[in-house]
């Protein structure tokens, strides 16, 4: 799409993509994690390296209002020092948090992060109730994470609506309450936003570092200045579960909830994941001569309809707990010609796809989770792992 002419043989071309609002620590010159251990607790950031991800017009972010003080006990930071990233996460069960999937896994073409390196710190600024991901001591943390996709595309077709994750913690860190998930049709979400009832609560690197901030109103629409709905719907893989909004965001706001007030208190209608932007480059004879400042179209969120139905299955699932069990599962799926990967005891994209194929063939709910139930259904898991090891000797 040509956005304008510069001179003979030159033109500016724009393409839309998704910029993620995870805080990449490597990109922050004056990083608050200077010891690469814990985020510090200074006041508002002043260094020039810290910039908002997407602020639309006036910055509407303010300190958390007193009426939402209890939200601090239901939210926290999810971060990995080794992976050099920080995101927002929120409690959905006593030992489960929700966040954006890209906070934990890779974007297409990137190296996968190690799940065992992540920490969740509930009520970071006051309590710092710390928990690892379940299974981290045995290298099995990946089996305790459910995501919409294990490798997301940020260029069209953009997979923003698969950018969600449910994370089981090694201990029940969410004992002070959880956020209920509410599924609303897209038209109702737009009506709620029009009535100025949608708001966001998140951590931001550039505003009140590591303290929850509040933003309202969150404007929502289908079409925007730099892209109308006919274009947007072609750019995204599942536009019906997409929320385009103008809540002001900063680094580390990925994974934060979009909320409405209900009789039970705030309820989650979506998870903030990134900024839909039009990147522009100056072309000369087909070659990129200069990259220009990108125009933010809107922020993006995945509607709760994309993941709400998965929560019960995730809560009931009992994940495999050893590499030996995973190898047995891989072997059994390979015997059925569903798994083509290495029998190595690791849970990855190939094993997930094989499990999903088996679940579909058996008429089961499709989860892709490596569970004790799936292993037993395939005829495995009869001999306890410890005894199986002894027999092999």
């Amino acid at each position: 799409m040509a956005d304008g002419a510069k001179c003979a043989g030159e033109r500016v071309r724009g393409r839309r993509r998704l910029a993620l609002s995870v805080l990449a620590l490597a990109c922050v010159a004056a990083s608050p994690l200077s010891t690469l251990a814990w985020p510090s607790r200074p006041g508002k950031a002043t260094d020039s390296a810290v910039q908002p991800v997407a602020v639309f017009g006036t910055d509407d972010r303010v300190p958390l209002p007193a009426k939402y003080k209890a939200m601090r006990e239901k939210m926290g930071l999810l971060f990995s020092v080794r992976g050099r990233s920080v995101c927002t996460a929120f409690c959905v069960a006593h030992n489960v948090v929700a966040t954006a999937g890209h906070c934990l896994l890779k974007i297409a073409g990137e190296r996968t992060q190690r799940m065992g390196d992540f920490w969740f710190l509930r009520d970071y600024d006051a309590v710092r109730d710390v928990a690892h991901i379940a299974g981290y001591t045995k290298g099995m943390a990946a089996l305790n994470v459910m995501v919409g996709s294990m490798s997301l595309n940020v260029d069209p077709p953009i997979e923003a609506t698969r950018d969600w994750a449910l994370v089981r913690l090694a201990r029940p860190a969410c004992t002070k309450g959880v956020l209920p998930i509410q599924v609303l049709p897209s038209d109702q979400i737009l009506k709620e936003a029009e009535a100025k009832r949608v708001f966001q609560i998140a951590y931001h690197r550039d505003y009140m570092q590591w303290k929850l901030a509040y933003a309202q109103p969150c404007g929502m629409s289908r079409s925007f200045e730099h892209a109308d709905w006919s274009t947007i719907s072609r750019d995204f893989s599942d536009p019906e579960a997409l929320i385009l909004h103008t809540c002001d965001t900063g680094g580390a706001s990925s994974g934060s909830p979009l909320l409405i007030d209900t009789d039970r208190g705030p309820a989650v209608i979506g998870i903030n994941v990134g900024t839909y932007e039009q990147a522009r480059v100056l072309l000369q004879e087909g070659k990129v001569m200069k990259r220009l400042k990108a125009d933010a179209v809107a922020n993006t969120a995945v509607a709760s309809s994309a993941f709400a139905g998965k929560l019960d299955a995730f809560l009931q699932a009992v994940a495999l707990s050893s590499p030996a069990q995973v190898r047995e599962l891989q072997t059994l799926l390979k015997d059925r010609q569903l798994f083509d990967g290495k029998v190595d005891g690791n849970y990855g994209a190939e094993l997930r796809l094989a499990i999903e194929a088996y679940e579909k063939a058996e008429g089961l709910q499709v989860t892709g989770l490596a569970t004790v139930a799936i292993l037993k259904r395939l005829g495995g898991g009869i001999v306890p792992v410890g005894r199986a090891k002894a027999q092999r000797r």
Side-chain angles (χ1 to χ4, degrees):
M1 181 181 75
D3 293 319
K6 301 295 288 186
C7 60
E10 297 185 1
R11 59 177 175 165
V12 175
R13 174 166 289 179
R15 67 182 179 90
R16 282 164 294 276
R17 68 187 304 275
L18 192 67
L20 302 171
S21 49
V22 59
L23 171 61
L25 301 182
C27 299
V28 181
S31 172
L33 283 87
S34 56
T35 63
L36 293 184
W38 307 99
S40 60
R41 292 193 287 176
K44 186 173 181 177
T46 57
D47 59 273
S48 59
V50 179
Q51 298 293 333
V53 170
V55 171
F56 298 87
T58 303
D59 193 336
D60 296 320
R61 293 173 293 178
V62 299
L64 192 66
K67 67 178 289 187
Y68 296 117
K69 183 179 179 180
M71 292 288 289
R72 293 171 53 187
E73 297 181 333
K74 303 172 184 178
M75 296 181 63
L77 287 176
L78 181 75
F79 80 96
S80 165
V81 174
R82 186 187 296 269
R84 305 185 69 80
S85 64
V86 184
C87 283
T88 300
F90 56 93
C91 296
V92 293
H94 73 286
N95 65 337
V96 176
V97 296
T99 189
H102 72 262
C103 295
L104 293 148
L105 290 165
K106 65 180 179 179
I107 306 305
E110 290 184 348
R111 185 177 180 180
T112 303
Q113 300 191 65
R114 285 174 39 179
M115 299 287 186
D117 293 332
F118 281 87
W119 301 78
F120 173 68
L121 291 88
R122 184 184 62 81
D123 194 0
Y124 176 77
D125 188 53
V127 176
R128 296 195 186 187
D129 191 358
V130 181
H132 268 292
I133 298 177
Y136 78 99
T137 57
K138 298 181 180 180
M140 308 300 287
L143 279 75
N144 289 282
V145 175
M146 187 178 192
V147 293
S149 174
M150 298 190 77
S151 181
L152 293 158
N153 285 325
V154 294
D155 291 302
I158 300 169
E159 296 181 313
T161 52
R162 300 176 67 186
D163 193 0
W164 55 267
L166 301 173
V167 183
R168 183 176 290 107
L169 304 175
R171 50 173 297 273
C174 295
T175 57
K176 299 295 183 179
V178 302
L179 292 178
I181 297 172
Q182 183 162 334
V183 176
L184 295 179
S186 56
D187 289 346
Q188 183 62 36
I189 291 175
L190 291 173
K191 289 179 180 178
E192 294 288 340
E194 186 177 358
K196 301 186 185 303
R197 288 195 290 262
V198 179
F199 59 98
Q200 179 196 40
I201 295 177
Y203 292 96
H204 304 264
R205 171 65 175 97
D206 67 293
Y207 183 85
M208 297 182 62
Q209 291 176 317
W210 318 128
K211 296 181 180 180
L212 286 174
Y214 169 91
Q216 189 186 39
C218 293
M220 295 179 180
S221 182
R222 289 293 196 183
S223 297
F224 293 84
E225 178 184 356
H226 297 291
D228 60 23
W229 181 243
S230 62
T231 299
I232 293 170
S233 61
R234 292 194 303 268
D235 277 353
F236 287 86
S237 61
D238 182 16
E240 291 307 311
L242 177 69
I243 298 175
L244 295 169
H245 67 91
T246 58
C247 296
D248 294 324
T249 60
S253 64
S254 278
S256 57
L258 293 184
L259 303 148
I260 60 170
D261 283 317
T262 71
D263 293 341
R264 297 184 296 163
V268 178
I269 63 168
I271 298 176
N272 180 61
V273 296
T275 303
Y276 177 49
E277 63 179 26
Q278 180 168 277
R280 298 183 298 154
V281 295
L282 177 64
L283 298 177
Q284 184 174 21
E285 296 179 354
K287 296 182 179 179
V288 176
M289 304 302 295
K290 185 178 180 180
R291 298 186 182 278
L292 307 176
K293 183 179 179 181
D295 293 318
V297 176
N299 281 329
T300 61
V302 50
S304 57
S305 59
F307 58 88
K310 305 290 187 179
L311 180 57
D312 284 343
F314 185 67
L315 293 175
Q316 295 170 21
V318 178
L320 300 182
S321 58
S322 73
Q325 289 178 316
V326 177
R327 285 194 297 271
E328 185 179 12
L329 177 61
Q330 290 171 326
T331 300
L332 291 167
L333 290 170
K334 186 178 283 287
D335 291 343
R336 289 175 175 257
Q337 299 183 335
L338 294 173
F339 178 65
D340 295 326
K342 293 181 180 179
V343 178
D344 55 7
N346 294 317
Y347 178 79
E350 286 181 300
L351 179 54
R352 170 182 154 144
L353 289 173
I355 295 169
E356 290 178 339
Y358 175 73
E359 289 172 325
K360 289 177 182 177
E362 294 291 303
L364 304 173
Q365 182 177 2
V366 178
T367 68
L369 297 172
T371 64
V372 172
I374 288 291
L375 181 60
K376 288 184 176 179
R377 188 180 181 96
L378 283 162
I382 298 174
V383 179
V385 173
R387 190 183 306 170
K389 288 182 178 179
Q391 290 176 352
R392 285 196 296 270
R393 292 175 188 154

